[in-house]
Structure formats: C-alpha cells, structure tokens
Amino acid sequence: MSENCIFCKIVNKEIPSELIYEDEKLIVFKDIRPQAPVHLLIVPRKHIRSINDLKPEDHAIAGDMLIAAQKIAKLVGVDKNGYKLNFHVEKGGGQEVFHLHMHLVGGWEK
Ligand code: 5GP
Ligand code: ZN
C-alpha cells in the first residue's frame, strides 16, 4: 500500500471501481475514461511504481498479469476477435498512474 495511490485505494476498496475480476494477486476493473468499447486495467495488488521498478522476484506477478489478460479477454468476449495489451512506462510513455497496470483494450467491430 502506498499512500495517495489511487490504484492502491481501488485495490483496498477505499474508492469504488467497476470490478470485473479479482483474486489474491490482482484485480481487474473498467478504465474510467475508456478508449475503446472494452477498456480494462489489470492491476497487481502489490504497489509497484512502474515497469522500471519490477524486480526479478516480481516475475510471478508479471506472468500472472498475462495469464489474467488471457482469462479476462475470454470472459468479456474479445479473445477471438482480438485485443491489445499495453503498458505505459513513465511520463514519456504516457503513464499517469504510478502503480503498475496493464491496459486490455478491444471490442471493436470486425
Ligand atoms: P496510464 O497511467 O497507463 O496512462 O493509464 C492510467 C489509466 O487509469 C487511464 O486510462 C485512466 O483513465 C485510468 N484511471 C485513472 N484514475 C482512475 C480511477 O480512479 N478509476 C478508474 N477506473 N480508472 C482510472
Ligand atoms: Zn499503489
């Protein structure tokens, strides 16, 4: 938990989100400003600032995020048509929230 981190607050249910999935490692919720018909954020419970702060011992978290993406894509029905998984890394990469997360975007017409 990092103070004043919006995603830590969402993880801890201190502020609401449109939750799609959660388990002991991560949560998945709808992006508040969707850029596509489906725009979800896959967020580890552990506060990690950005991809730049991932440590070798976090490798399971990184893997869990990809496995969750595969599962959630199927759950929300974008797996067959296709989707994008994006990481924004640091300010120059467009990162606005400094708690590691992966965007899952899709749901466009074929
Ligand atoms: P990034 O840091 O990768 O650029 O993106 C952060 C994303 O978090 C943005 O797409 C933004 O719309 C989303 N976001 C920021 N604050 C909130 C919030 O309080 N709730 C939800 N559901 N999404 C948020
Ligand atoms: Zn955080």
Side-chain angles (χ1 to χ4, degrees):
M1 171 77 188
S2 178
E3 263 181 59
N4 298 322
C5 170
I6 191 110
F7 284 0
C8 279
K9 287 180 179 159
I10 290 175
V11 163
N12 291 317
K13 311 266 170 66
E14 289 170 30
I15 63 169
S17 70
E18 288 193 68
L19 206 61
I20 299 291
Y21 173 83
E22 65 180 324
D23 63 24
E24 68 279 5
K25 295 278 180 56
L26 54 84
I27 75 169
V28 182
F29 54 88
K30 290 187 184 178
D31 195 294
I32 208 165
R33 281 178 274 132
Q35 307 293 313
V38 172
H39 188 169
L40 306 177
L41 299 171
I42 298 172
V43 181
R45 290 186 185 276
K46 181 180 177 185
H47 181 88
I48 299 167
R49 200 184 145 277
S50 94
I51 283 278
N52 282 350
D53 299 272
L54 264 183
K55 298 197 165 58
E57 58 265 32
D58 296 321
H59 72 275
I61 291 175
D64 289 341
M65 290 173 79
L66 286 176
I67 298 296
Q70 180 201 57
K71 181 160 41 180
I72 300 306
K74 197 169 183 185
L75 183 76
V76 300
V78 298
D79 57 321
K80 292 286 183 329
N81 195 36
Y83 53 97
K84 295 182 185 181
L85 298 173
N86 299 323
F87 283 99
H88 299 162
V89 186
E90 304 296 336
K91 286 215 167 81
Q95 188 172 2
E96 291 174 4
V97 176
F98 288 86
H99 176 133
L100 183 68
H101 56 279
M102 183 166 67
H103 298 253
L104 189 164
V105 288
W108 309 281
E109 297 288 318
K110 271 188 194 166

